[in-house]
Amino acid sequence: MKIIAGNWKMNGTRELLNEMIVALENIDTENKVILCVPYTMLAASSARVAIGAQDVSAHDHGAYTGQVSANMVAATGATYTIVGHSERRQYNGDTNDTVRQKAAAAVAAGLTPIICVGETMDEKNAGKTMEIIQSGVRESVPQDTKNIIIAYEPRWAIGAGITPTDDEIASAHQLIADTLSDMGLGGTPILYGASVRASNAAQIMSIPHVDGVLVGGASLKVDDFIPIITSVK
Ligand code: PEP
């Protein structure tokens, strides 16, 4: 069983979400499917598809205009949230420190956070990939919490139509698995994300310690997303 999570970013409509849910309810797979959608669509419900947000506040409530708390997300019936996506880190100033606080708030509210880590192109070129991944995991994951998912997303490959080599993905996922194990979190699912398509999904998910994928652009069309989900048993 693999985990296939879609990240709709700031895209989609309720009509598209309904269409996607109906299509996903009819597919024959044991894989876990999660759709992380804009806040305005969180109230969607489906027996087959878990719904998630794309971020939560680190705060419970208060004077934080524009923010949405993990409890508010949970109250919609959603069960997951992405935290630390590279676009939040790039455009909204999220750091490992704030991501850890958001992940802790998510867990406290009963949500499963999908905690994203990954290196930029500059960090890759500087030979810092492994260091960034390891510090990302150590600093973004809250202590003593088991109900989490990690997503390795090389930031330079997101939306770019290019992916790391299989060896690069294998090394990154091995490091994440070892780091989690060292933190007492062995067995935590680790997703790969960035430019996953139907054409590369099965190969990527055959790499050791790749427990599923986080899919951006290709999760927005039924005909692109379903073949990714059904590419593995
Ligand atoms: C993402 O934004 O999380 C992502 C994986 O995007 P894409 O699949 O479009 O590269």
Side-chain angles (χ1 to χ4, degrees), residues 7 9 85 87 153 157-159 193-197 214-217:
N7 172 17
K9 312 192 185 200
H85 189 275
E87 288 148 18
E153 294 210 302
I158 292 177
S195 296
V196 175
R197 307 279 179 269
L214 178 55
V215 185

Side-chain angles (χ1 to χ4, degrees), residues 39 42 51-57 68-81 109 111:
Y39 290 128
L42 283 180
I51 301 293
Q54 299 169 11
D55 186 46
V56 289
S57 176
V68 176
S69 76
N71 280 320
M72 291 169 179
V73 169
T76 68
T79 45
Y80 289 82
T81 186
L111 302 172

Side-chain angles (χ1 to χ4, degrees), residues 165-193:
T165 64
D166 287 2
D167 283 351
E168 286 172 325
I169 296 174
S171 306
H173 280 246
Q174 183 69 57
L175 175 64
I176 294 170
D178 290 346
T179 305
L180 289 166
S181 177
D182 198 45
M183 296 168 75
L185 297 172
T188 296
I190 308 166
L191 312 185
Y192 167 81

Side-chain angles (χ1 to χ4, degrees), residues 16 64-65 76 81 93 95 104 119 126 162 165 205 213:
L16 177 62
Y64 302 102
T65 302
T76 68
T81 186
T95 62
E119 77 285 4
I162 46 169
T165 64
M205 285 189 271
V213 286

Side-chain angles (χ1 to χ4, degrees), residues 117-121 123-134 151-158 161-177 190-195 203-210:
V117 298
E119 77 285 4
T120 63
M121 184 54 101
E123 289 161 345
K124 176 179 164 63
N125 290 340
K128 291 185 171 169
T129 297
M130 293 295 147
E131 182 187 324
I132 294 296
I133 292 171
Q134 193 172 41
Y152 168 55
E153 294 210 302
R155 292 167 63 168
W156 51 273
I158 292 177
I162 46 169
T163 54
T165 64
D166 287 2
D167 283 351
E168 286 172 325
I169 296 174
S171 306
H173 280 246
Q174 183 69 57
L175 175 64
I176 294 170
I190 308 166
L191 312 185
Y192 167 81
S195 296
Q203 173 59 27
I204 289 172
M205 285 189 271
S206 73
I207 296 170
H209 298 296
V210 177

